[in-house]
């Protein structure tokens, strides 16, 4: 398990290195929201955009912009998911520890 990012039932820890990226508060909030949902070992999750919007109190467009920023700098990898009938499902998000990503 990654010592710098540990998730427990009611809280999670974020590396202080997140602030080295000079991200806007909204983008840090979206990263933390994903981390809140993330599996401890794989650091992956699949919350819907609606859920991220609700948790962060942000609009869909703002969340999408934040996700693109996180993906561009390498803190998050977004994978599209489809249902059995080829309709869209929630995305899969893979998170990376800020201490191992170049800021």
């Amino acid at each position: 398990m990654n010592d710098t990012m540990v998730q427990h039932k009611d809280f999670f820890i974020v590396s202080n290195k997140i602030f080295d990226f000079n991200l806007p508060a909204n983008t840090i909030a979206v990263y933390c929201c994903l981390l809140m949902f993330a599996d401890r070992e794989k650091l992956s999750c699949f919350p819907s955009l609606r859920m991220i919007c609700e948790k962060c109190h942000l609009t869909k467009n703002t969340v999408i912009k934040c996700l693109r920023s996180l993906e561009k700098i390498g803190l998050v990898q977004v994978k599209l998911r489809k249902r059995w009938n080829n309709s869209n499902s929630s995305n899969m998000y893979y998170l990376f520890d800020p201490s191992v990503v170049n800021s």
Side-chain angles (χ1 to χ4, degrees):
M1 183 173 13
N2 189 335
D3 291 335
T4 58
M5 296 173 69
V6 178
Q7 179 181 349
H8 296 280
K9 184 176 180 181
D10 295 327
F11 67 92
F12 59 93
I13 297 172
V14 182
S15 171
N16 292 334
K17 297 285 185 182
I18 192 70
F19 295 103
D20 292 347
F21 292 88
N22 297 314
L23 298 169
N26 287 346
T27 305
I28 293 173
V30 169
Y31 180 80
C32 289
C33 182
L34 294 174
L35 187 58
M36 178 183 71
F37 287 109
D39 172 86
R40 267 188 250 177
E41 289 147 23
K42 297 178 185 175
L43 285 180
S44 62
C45 59
F46 47 92
S48 66
L49 280 176
R50 183 184 317 167
M51 179 61 70
I52 298 169
C53 292
E54 288 176 12
K55 292 290 185 184
C56 295
H57 304 282
L58 299 171
T59 66
K60 182 178 177 180
N61 286 339
T62 300
V63 168
I64 290 170
K65 181 181 172 184
C66 293
L67 288 168
R68 286 182 181 148
S69 295
L70 290 167
E71 192 170 26
K72 182 177 179 180
I73 60 176
L75 286 171
V76 173
Q77 182 181 22
V78 180
K79 294 284 187 175
L80 301 176
R81 296 188 326 144
K82 297 281 187 178
R83 292 185 181 93
W84 62 272
N85 62 359
N86 209 32
S87 64
N88 290 330
S89 182
S90 60
N91 293 329
M92 176 65 79
Y93 301 99
Y94 298 95
L95 285 78
F96 301 97
D97 185 336
S99 65
V100 298
V101 174
N102 293 326
S103 56

